Amino acid sequence: MSTLLLVRHGLTAKTGPVLAGRAPGLHLDDRGIKQAEALAQRLAAVPLTAVVTSPLERCVETATAVREAQAKDPAWHVDDRLIECGYGDWTGKAIKDLVKDPLWKVVQAQPSAVRFPNGESLPEMSSRAIAAVRDWDQRLGDDAVWVACTHGDVIKAILADALGLHLDQYQRIVPDPCSVSVVRYTATRPFVVRMNDVGGDVSGLVPPKRTRRRRTSDATVGGGAGGGTV
């Protein structure tokens, strides 16, 4: 079974107070650079098969740091399907102003009904992001450990799908900057191994060597002894 490491980009000068969206030219600030470097050192212990990233600068810079810290150079791919949600007319606006928009309450309570003005709908974003990670997961093979570096709402949609949640529940998920969330996909179901990990030991994500024992996608009754899945 393959292992997907969902990574959110590091901080920029606009992360938090402004809905940056797909605005070009937004780079990691000093805080974000430090976050990306720390993340890269954490993940250096995990031999990555590939690093796949959103085309936006803040993701490319975060993903580049992760890739450069690897002992062996993993494959590199830029995938437009991992780009930030298209917020349309909301792009670049201050959050303190957006919360006054009637659509804000719908975004919070019923994301599946939201289409941003002159932008993308949240179901469209969710659909193309989920399709992207499942596509790469299949392409990279059963033993792959790979990174998808992307954006907060995209990660929330992918995790909601892996957890079997309706999109309207995805606001319950929080991915911090430079956090790692881990999903293992099997023929039967995805296993969500970690969510919003910003500092834990990641050595356990290295897949065990193959044995003659059949690898299974069954869930471990009772929770098992750790390591994600049996």
Side-chain angles (χ1 to χ4, degrees):
M1 60 191 72
S2 59
T3 304
L4 164 62
L5 279 57
L6 282 167
V7 168
R8 187 182 171 199
H9 62 81
L11 286 167
T12 74
K14 293 186 177 180
T15 305
V18 174
L19 187 63
R22 298 180 183 177
L26 187 58
H27 298 269
L28 298 179
D29 63 12
D30 290 343
R31 300 168 302 164
I33 291 170
K34 290 179 181 178
Q35 287 178 323
E37 290 172 347
L39 170 67
Q41 290 307 308
R42 286 181 62 210
L43 295 184
V46 182
L48 299 175
T49 306
V51 176
V52 186
T53 181
S54 155
L56 294 179
E57 293 92 340
R58 55 195 186 271
C59 283
V60 171
E61 290 164 1
T62 303
T64 297
V66 169
R67 185 189 189 198
E68 290 179 347
Q70 290 284 300
K72 293 184 179 180
D73 197 22
W76 174 266
H77 304 278
V78 177
D79 192 331
D80 289 344
R81 294 174 295 178
L82 294 178
I83 199 169
E84 179 66 284
C85 184
Y87 296 118
D89 295 345
W90 279 29
T91 302
K93 291 188 176 181
I95 298 296
K96 65 182 178 63
D97 295 326
L98 291 175
V99 297
K100 302 171 186 176
D101 190 310
L103 184 61
W104 181 267
K105 290 184 178 180
V106 187
V107 172
Q108 299 303 311
Q110 195 180 3
S112 63
V114 170
R115 176 176 294 279
F116 293 98
N118 294 312
E120 188 176 27
S121 75
L122 284 173
E124 287 169 345
M125 177 275 292
S126 175
S127 178
R128 48 101 169 157
I130 292 165
V133 296
R134 288 181 177 268
D135 178 30
W136 281 110
D137 212 69
Q138 186 174 39
R139 283 199 230 179
L140 294 171
D142 284 347
D143 295 320
V145 181
W146 64 285
V147 161
C149 187
T150 182
H151 307 268
D153 276 343
V154 175
I155 292 171
K156 287 156 65 173
I158 293 168
L159 288 174
D161 170 71
L163 289 165
L165 298 177
H166 192 279
L167 186 61
D168 286 345
Q169 307 301 320
Y170 100 137
Q171 298 292 22
R172 301 183 182 199
I173 299 168
V174 178
D176 289 327
C178 273
S179 63
V180 179
S181 298
V182 182
V183 182
R184 286 193 175 127
Y185 288 96
T186 75
T188 307
R189 64 177 68 82
F191 290 93
V192 178
V193 180
R194 298 192 187 192
M195 293 177 63
N196 199 32
D197 182 344
V198 293
D201 176 28
V202 294
S203 60
L205 299 179
V206 179
K209 293 181 179 180
R210 284 183 174 271
T211 66
R212 292 184 179 180
R213 183 169 177 264
R214 184 177 62 88
R215 299 178 72 179
T216 177
S217 57
D218 291 347
T220 305
V221 177
T229 55
V230 293

